[in-house]
Amino acid sequence: MATPDWPFMKMHGAGNDFVVIDGRVTPVDLSADLVRALADRHRGVGFDQLALITDGTDLTVTYYNADGSQSAACGNATRCIAARELAQRKTNALQIEVTGRGTLNAVRNADGSTAVNMGHPQLDWQDVPLAQDVDMLSLPIDGNPVATGMGNPHCTFFVDDVATIDLATIGPRIEHHPLFPERTNVQFAQVIGPDHIRMRVWERGTGITLASGSSSCATAVAAARRGLTGRKVQIDLDGGTLHIDWRDDGVWMSGPTAHVFNGTLTPEFLNSL
């Protein structure tokens, strides 16, 4: 294991928190064991996802879940990284190459917030992927959830009251449902109005999180396809509010970002793994 200190950033979007390592500054060799150790909120740093930045068109980002597995999309982390890059570059737009998802466009909104186009939803069962060809708007799972791909697989349940859902019990069971060969993110959504949703989320490889950008995009798409809302919605999560707009060029997401602090991983920590 390397001995120099490794700098990192701690960020969050609506309480969905991240460790961000800029590999352009300090090249790092991330193993699954290191990712899991960093994710430990008692012995490491703690995060929902980890982001590794490397060189690209503007920049490239690879995401990891808390269990050490790779994630193909992480909307809130993408917005957090974009907000910092836009400020540093003194520009209002840039492109971020996300490993497993492709090129995502990010812009600074007029109100100073950051928006990211998370791309087109994947609406074919093989692209999500599912284990078999089924009705994606009414999966053969109790509760008739909707399947949507946003780089990651998503399974969205529409319920009368999200507060009554035992997410800690149901979430892992659906994450590992045999219909999802690569596991799935799980959302429980309560439609408040034609442009307003309340949602709670269980993330694949992480667990319960205060917010999830890709899950919010998938839920907005699922709600619009079911005819429950329009294509532009406000989504209230446990950690804050995100705004989703499913446009012809993709699913745009806006919301709060925060760069909380910078730190370093010490040789003592790195050599203990």
Side-chain angles (χ1 to χ4, degrees):
M1 182 62 65
T3 54
D5 292 351
W6 284 4
F8 70 91
M9 297 170 279
K10 187 68 183 288
M11 300 178 171
H12 80 85
N16 190 191
D17 68 330
F18 319 102
V19 161
V20 179
I21 297 176
D22 194 338
R24 300 168 301 181
V25 176
T26 305
V28 297
D29 181 17
L30 286 178
S31 66
D33 287 342
L34 175 56
V35 173
R36 286 191 291 268
L38 287 171
D40 190 319
R41 295 187 184 275
H42 300 286
R43 297 178 176 86
V45 180
F47 58 79
D48 293 332
Q49 277 84 30
L50 181 147
L52 175 63
I53 302 173
T54 52
D55 287 317
T57 305
D58 281 331
L59 69 159
T60 297
V61 184
T62 304
Y63 293 113
Y64 298 85
N65 296 313
D67 67 356
S69 61
Q70 280 200 25
S71 175
C74 185
N76 281 321
T78 303
R79 289 190 308 101
C80 287
I81 293 167
R84 177 177 181 270
E85 290 287 324
L86 289 167
Q88 287 190 332
R89 297 167 187 244
K90 295 181 172 57
T91 185
N92 290 319
L94 81 159
Q95 292 184 326
I96 299 177
E97 187 74 22
V98 175
T99 302
R101 183 57 174 159
T103 302
L104 306 182
N105 293 310
V107 299
R108 188 194 311 279
N109 293 324
D111 64 2
S113 64
T114 303
V116 170
N117 183 349
M118 293 295 292
H120 294 286
Q122 296 157 312
L123 304 178
D124 184 273
W125 70 275
Q126 293 172 308
D127 295 331
V128 173
L130 300 178
Q132 62 190 74
D133 187 359
V134 295
D135 182 356
M136 289 178 53
L137 283 173
S138 184
L139 297 179
I141 299 174
D142 287 346
N144 302 114
V146 178
T148 309
M150 287 299 310
N152 293 331
H154 295 273
C155 182
T156 307
F157 294 81
F158 291 97
V159 298
D160 293 332
D161 185 357
V162 295
T164 65
I165 300 300
D166 183 359
L167 194 55
T169 298
I170 302 174
R173 187 168 71 238
I174 301 301
E175 175 189 352
H176 294 275
H177 193 283
L179 189 58
F180 292 92
E182 296 181 5
R183 300 182 293 164
T184 185
N185 296 298
V186 186
Q187 304 88 35
F188 288 89
Q190 176 183 345
V191 177
I192 307 299
D195 59 357
H196 191 185
I197 293 172
R198 170 75 173 99
M199 188 187 83
R200 298 178 63 208
V201 60
W202 174 278
E203 289 200 67
R204 175 183 66 165
T206 296
I208 296 174
T209 57
L210 295 180
S212 169
S214 62
S215 290
S216 297
C217 293
T219 295
V221 169
R225 295 183 71 212
R226 276 264 184 101
L228 301 173
T229 67
R231 291 165 65 107
K232 186 175 184 179
V233 295
Q234 170 183 316
I235 297 187
D236 297 332
L237 301 113
D238 291 341
T241 296
L242 298 175
H243 296 274
I244 311 298
D245 189 0
W246 183 13
R247 306 176 192 169
D248 290 342
D249 63 343
V251 185
W252 285 85
M253 175 180 56
S254 301
T257 61
H259 182 166
V260 184
F261 64 85
N262 297 328
T264 55
L265 305 176
T266 66
E268 179 185 6
F269 173 77
L270 293 170
N271 288 326
S272 71
L273 302 178

